[in-house]
């Protein structure tokens, strides 16, 4: 298997790791890509970005009231 972040993963495809990555584990390498996109287009003055570990994505919420989401118009 492959070792990452102190955890052993089996050979083959891994749909989601604890670090929110999708990986492929082979005898010679472990290749991964992220499951989330980083927000870059939003109201930076009134909103903030918070990583949501449960959904493996970034939430963009109002600074004054984090229970309210902000509109995001671009991600990378």
């Amino acid at each position: 298997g492959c070792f990452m972040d102190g955890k052993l993963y089996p050979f083959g495809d891994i749909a989601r790791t604890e670090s929110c990555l999708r990986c492929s584990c082979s005898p010679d390498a472990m290749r991964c890509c992220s499951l989330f996109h980083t927000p870059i287009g939003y109201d930076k003055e009134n909103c903030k970005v918070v990583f949501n570990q449960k959904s493996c994505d970034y939430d963009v919420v109002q600074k004054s009231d984090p229970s309210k989401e902000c509109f995001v118009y671009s991600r990378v």
Side-chain angles (χ1 to χ4, degrees):
C2 297
F3 225 8
M4 184 169 77
D5 296 332
K7 186 171 179 181
L8 181 63
Y9 291 93
F11 289 125
D13 292 331
I14 301 139
R16 177 179 165 176
T17 68
E18 291 178 10
S19 304
C20 294
L21 300 172
R22 179 180 304 139
C23 299
S24 176
C25 172
S26 68
D28 41 295
M30 186 164 182
R31 294 175 181 82
C32 300
C33 62
S34 66
L35 291 171
F36 50 88
H37 295 92
T38 306
I40 57 166
Y42 62 94
D43 180 354
K44 292 179 176 70
E45 188 175 319
N46 297 307
C47 303
K48 64 180 179 178
V49 176
V50 179
F51 190 72
N52 182 328
Q53 187 72 33
K54 187 176 180 180
S55 68
C56 281
D57 203 0
Y58 286 103
D59 295 332
V60 181
V61 296
Q62 292 181 7
K63 289 179 182 177
S64 61
D65 184 355
S67 68
K68 295 181 180 174
E69 290 187 27
C70 292
F71 178 72
V72 178
Y73 49 89
S74 62
R75 292 177 183 254
V76 292

